[in-house]
DNA sequence: CTGAAAGCGCTTACAG
DNA sequence: CTGAAAGCGCTTACAG
C-alpha cells in the first residue's frame, strides 16, 4: 500500500511551508500567482488529495451525511425504496462535495444505537432517518439532541423536526375515490401496513375516511406488515372465511403497498378470482413491481428519489445553519393507472402470456 | 447544535489526563481498576463518543469501506443489484465496526474520478468496485496503485486483482442446456448485455458455446444494454423482420438479465405470442422482477448480497494485510425454474388474472 | 510505574 | 506582507 501524499510533500517539492501550500491550493490571495501555480502543479504531479481526517479534524466538519436505516425496518433494507432515497441523497451530496454513509443499525451493544454513534462521533455532519417506527425513542432522542437530522415521512409527535413526506391520507383517499367513482366498487378491503408506523396509520385512515365519505358499509381492514407474504396471507384469510357459494366477498382491495398487492394478486390468481373482473386491486409506492405484473398494478407513485434529494438539501441547510423554511415539506404524488383496477383496457384486454393458439 | 464531548471533557471530570482517559477506555492494564471505572462512568454520563476524525488521523485508518458505482453503470444505480451488494457489505462492515460509504462517481472535474479521491483522501480504507466496464482505465489505475480494492465480477485483464464473482459462461450454458434438453427448443435468440462489460461477453459466450455443443444452427444474438426497454426493442426488431406468415422465428429467448426479459415479455404478450407456448423465455439475476411477472421468469439466481459480503471480507483482509487466499473467489449460482420456460406447470396452468368467469 | 509530549494532516489566527 | 505556531481529538512512545 503506497504511502499517501501529504501537503508537506507538496510543500517540500516547491520549497514552501505546508501552510503556504494550503493557501495556494485554496487560491488564497496572499500567495503569489507564481507560487500558486507551482504548488498546484506539484500537487497534481504527486497525486495529492487532502486527507479527509486532517481536514475534518481541523474544520470540525466531516463533509458527509448518513442515511439511517432503523432496526425496526431492517427487514425492508434491501428494498428498492432505500435505493431510490440513496440515489436522491447522492445527487444532493455530490452537489455539496459530501460523502454518503449508509448506517444500518446493527450495534445496539453499548447502550446506544449505531446511528447515534455516527452522529456523535461526527463521522457524518447530519443524518436522514426514514421508516422509523412511531415509538422509536432513539429517533426522538436524536432529534431532541439538536444534531442535524431530517426525517423522511410524517411524524406528528415530532412536530418540530424537519421532515419531508407525502400526504398518505389524501393519496389513499384518491385511490378509493377512483375505485368507487370510476369502477363502481363498494365492498372494499384494506390490507394495511404495520400500525406502529405512521404511514400504516395514515393510509388506513385515508381508506376509512374515503369509505365513509362514500357511504360504503361493506368495508374491512386486515393488518399486514408490507411484506409480499403478508398480502398473500390477508387474501388467503378472506378466502378461508368466506361463506360457501360466495365468489369473493370484496370487489376491491386497497393494499397499503405494492409488495403486498403482488402477494395478494398471486393468491387471487391461483384461487381463480379474476383481477380486475371480480376484484379490483390497487397498491402504493410504484418502485417497480407494480409495473411488471400482469395485470399491472394501479398505484400511487411515491417520489422516493426526490424525497431523498430534498431531505438532503434540507439537511445541508441545517448543517450550514441556513434559516430553514417550513419544518415539513410535503411532496405531491401521482396516481398511476394500470390494469388491476380495470383501467388501461388496451393492456388488460391483451392476450395473457399463457394464452394458447 | 450541541458542542461535542471530547476525551478532554471526560478526563477533566475524573481529574486525569486525556491520555489516561484514553487508556482507561481501551482497557489498558496500566490504569487502575478504580480509575478505569470512573472514566467509563464519566464517559457514559457525558455521552462521550470518540471523534472519528481524531481517531482516523491518529491511527491512519478511517474504519470505512466504500462502494464504488462507476460512471459507466450510472444508469443502473437505483437498481436492486446495488442494494443487495450494499446489504452484504453492511453485514461485513458492521462486523468490523466500519462504516459503509456509497460513492457514485459524479466528480470527474479535477482530472480524477470521485472514487479515486475517496481512496486517496483516506475517507475509506478500501473500496468495492462493481459493474466496471472492461476499458475503464480508472479501475485499472486504482488496482495498480496498490490501494485496497476488491472487484465484483470477472476481470480477465486484471488477473492479479482480488475479485469475487460467478461463472457467467457456465450459468448461461446451463440455461441453454435446460431449454434444449427439457423443452426441446433449438431456435434460440440471445439478447446480450453491453459487450463492453465482461458479463455481457461471458453470458453471450456461454450462449454460443452451448448452442454449438448442441449443434444448434438457428441461433442469433442481438446486443442489448440490460435495460427493460432494450429487451423490448430486441423483440420488436425480431417481430418487424420476420417473414410474412411466420409466427415467431425463435422458440426460445435467452435474455442476459431479467429486466430485458420483462421488457421482452411485455412485447410478446402484446403481439399475441405465447410464453412459453410459442417462445420459452429465460433471464438472469433474480433480484425480484422475475418472481412477480406472469409467467414467472426462469432465471439464474445471482447471489449479490453474498458477493457484497464476501468482497467486503476480502477487502478487510487486504486492509489488515492478512495474507489473502486466491485472487478470485467464485460463488455458485442456482437455476430458478419458473413458468416462462415451460416448467412449473402448476403456476403456468393456473388461470391468468384477466381470465373471465 | 506514571506524567505529559509528540504527532497524525490540515488551515487559520497570530507574531514578527 | 510573510513565516511559522497553534490546535482540532486522539493514542502511543517517550521521558522522568
Amino acid at each position: 500500500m503506497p504511502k499517501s501524499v501529504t501537503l508537506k510533500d507538496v510543500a517540500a517539492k516547491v520549497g514552501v511551508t505546508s501552510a503556504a501550500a494550503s493557501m495556494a491550493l485554496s487560491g488564497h490571495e496572499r500567495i503569489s500567482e507564481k507560487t500558486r501555480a507551482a504548488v498546484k502543479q506539484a500537487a497534481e504531479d504527486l497525486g495529492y488529495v487532502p486527507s479527509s481526517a486532517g481536514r475534518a479534524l481541523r474544520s470540525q466538519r466531516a463533509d458527509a451525511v448518513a442515511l439511517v436505516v432503523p432496526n425496526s425496518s431492517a427487514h425492508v433494507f434491501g428494498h428498492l425504496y432505500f435505493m431510490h432515497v440513496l440515489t436522491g441523497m447522492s445527487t444532493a451530496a455530490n452537489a455539496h462535495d459530501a460523502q454518503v454513509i449508509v448506517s444500518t443499525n446493527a450495534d445496539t451493544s453499548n447502550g446506544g444505537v449505531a446511528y447515534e454513534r455516527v452522529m456523535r462521533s461526527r463521522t457524518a455532519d447530519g443524518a436522514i432517518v426514514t421508516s422509523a417506527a412511531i415509538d422509536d425513542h432513539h429517533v426522538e432522542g436524536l432529534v431532541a439532541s439538536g444534531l442535524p437530522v431530517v426525517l423522511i415521512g410524517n411524524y406528528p409527535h415530532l412536530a418540530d423536526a424537519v421532515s419531508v413526506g407525502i400526504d398518505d391520507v389524501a393519496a389513499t383517499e384518491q385511490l378509493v375515490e377512483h375505485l368507487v367513482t370510476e369502477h363502481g366498487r363498494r365492498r372494499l378491503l384494506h390490507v394495511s401496513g404495520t400500525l406502529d408506523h405512521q404511514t400504516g396509520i395514515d393510509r388506513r385512515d385515508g381508506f376509512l375516511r374515503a369509505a365513509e365519505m362514500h357511504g360504503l358499509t361493506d368495508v374491512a381492514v386486515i393488518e399486514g406488515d408490507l411484506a409480499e407474504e403478508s398480502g398473500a396471507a390477508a387474501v388467503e384469510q378472506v378466502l378461508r372465511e368466506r361463506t360457501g357459494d360466495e365468489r369473493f366477498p370484496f370487489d376491491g382491495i386497497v393494499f397499503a403497498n405494492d409488495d403486498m398487492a403482488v402477494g395478494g394478486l398471486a393468491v387471487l390468481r391461483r384461487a381463480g378470482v379474476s383481477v380486475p373482473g371480480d376484484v379490483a386491486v390497487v397498491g402504493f409506492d410504484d418502485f417497480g413491481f407494480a409495473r411488471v405484473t400482469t395485470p399491472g398494478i394501479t398505484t400511487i407513485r411515491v417520489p422516493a428519489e426526490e424525497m431523498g434529494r430534498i431531505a438532503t438539501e434540507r439537511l445541508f441547510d441545517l448543517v450550514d445553519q441556513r434559516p430553514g423554511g417550513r419544518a415539513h415539506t410535503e411532496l405531491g404524488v401521482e396516481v398511476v393507472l394500470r390494469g388491476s383496477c380495470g383501467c388501461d383496457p388496451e393492456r388488460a384486454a391483451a392476450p395473457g402470456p399463457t394464452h394458447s393458439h
Side-chain angles (χ1 to χ4, degrees), chain A residues 6-337:
Chain A
T6 72
L7 199 49
K8 219 162 88 181
D9 301 324
V10 176
K13 179 158 188 182
V14 179
V16 296
T17 66
S18 58
S22 170
M23 295 186 216
L25 289 175
S26 67
H28 198 293
E29 52 181 11
R30 83 173 240 194
I31 304 296
S32 77
E33 188 52 58
K34 204 181 103 211
T35 307
R36 221 185 295 177
V39 170
K40 286 191 174 169
Q41 186 59 48
E44 172 126 357
D45 291 349
L46 297 172
Y48 169 73
V49 175
S51 147
S52 60
R55 181 172 276 182
L57 190 57
R58 167 74 219 207
S59 65
Q60 299 290 64
R61 189 192 236 273
D63 283 319
V65 289
L67 172 64
V68 159
V69 185
N71 268 334
S72 48
S73 59
H75 61 291
V76 280
F77 187 51
H79 198 277
L80 259 183
Y81 168 68
F82 287 108
M83 204 66 223
H84 289 311
V85 170
L86 211 47
T87 304
M89 280 187 74
S90 290
T91 303
N94 279 334
H96 290 257
D97 274 318
Q99 298 297 321
V100 174
I101 292 170
V102 176
S103 184
T104 59
N105 195 16
D107 173 25
T108 42
S109 50
N110 309 19
V113 280
Y115 56 86
E116 218 183 299
R117 295 185 73 79
V118 170
M119 296 294 287
R120 295 208 181 282
S121 68
R122 316 256 67 178
T123 300
D125 301 315
I128 306 283
V129 181
T130 181
S131 308
I134 295 172
D135 63 353
D136 188 336
H137 298 301
H138 298 302
V139 173
E140 293 172 30
L142 201 55
V143 169
S145 75
L147 294 169
V149 175
V150 175
L151 308 176
I152 293 184
N154 295 292
Y155 300 82
H157 60 300
L158 293 171
D160 295 339
V162 176
S163 57
V164 176
I166 60 167
D167 187 339
D168 285 296
V169 177
T172 313
E173 284 177 347
Q174 275 187 67
L175 288 172
V176 173
E177 174 82 19
H178 179 77
L179 289 181
V180 173
T181 312
E182 299 297 319
H183 303 290
R185 309 298 168 117
R186 301 189 64 83
R187 291 171 294 128
L188 300 184
L189 169 67
H190 177 56
V191 182
S192 80
T194 44
L195 298 177
D196 60 346
H197 280 69
Q198 194 63 37
T199 48
I201 293 178
D202 287 349
R203 292 177 191 181
R204 180 203 57 188
D205 289 352
F207 172 83
L208 292 174
R209 191 186 295 184
E212 193 185 340
M213 267 169 38
H214 286 281
L216 308 186
T217 50
D218 265 8
V219 299
V221 174
I222 296 179
E223 184 174 348
D225 67 2
L226 298 181
E228 210 171 307
E229 296 72 31
S230 111
V235 173
E236 275 159 6
Q237 179 186 330
V238 171
L239 288 169
R240 214 164 39 235
E241 293 174 357
R242 69 182 160 179
T243 53
D245 58 338
E246 221 176 353
R247 165 124 229 101
F248 195 80
F250 301 98
D251 59 11
I253 310 181
V254 176
F255 288 95
N257 76 348
D258 295 337
D259 292 6
M260 292 196 297
V262 165
L265 221 49
V267 173
L268 290 169
R269 179 187 309 125
R270 280 198 296 273
V273 179
S274 158
V275 175
D278 298 326
V279 189
V281 163
V282 297
F284 208 112
D285 284 349
D286 204 31
F287 300 143
F289 281 7
R291 197 183 61 246
V292 306
T293 53
T294 305
I297 299 170
T298 290
T299 191
I300 295 285
R301 177 167 299 155
V302 174
E305 182 171 339
E306 201 186 350
M307 284 158 73
R309 189 175 54 70
I310 293 178
T312 307
E313 293 291 357
R314 301 287 283 114
L315 185 56
F316 280 112
D317 286 345
L318 255 45
V319 171
D320 298 336
Q321 315 232 40
R322 269 190 297 277
R326 316 163 292 309
H328 184 69
T329 305
E330 188 172 292
L331 301 183
V333 296
E334 187 191 342
V335 179
V336 181
L337 299 174

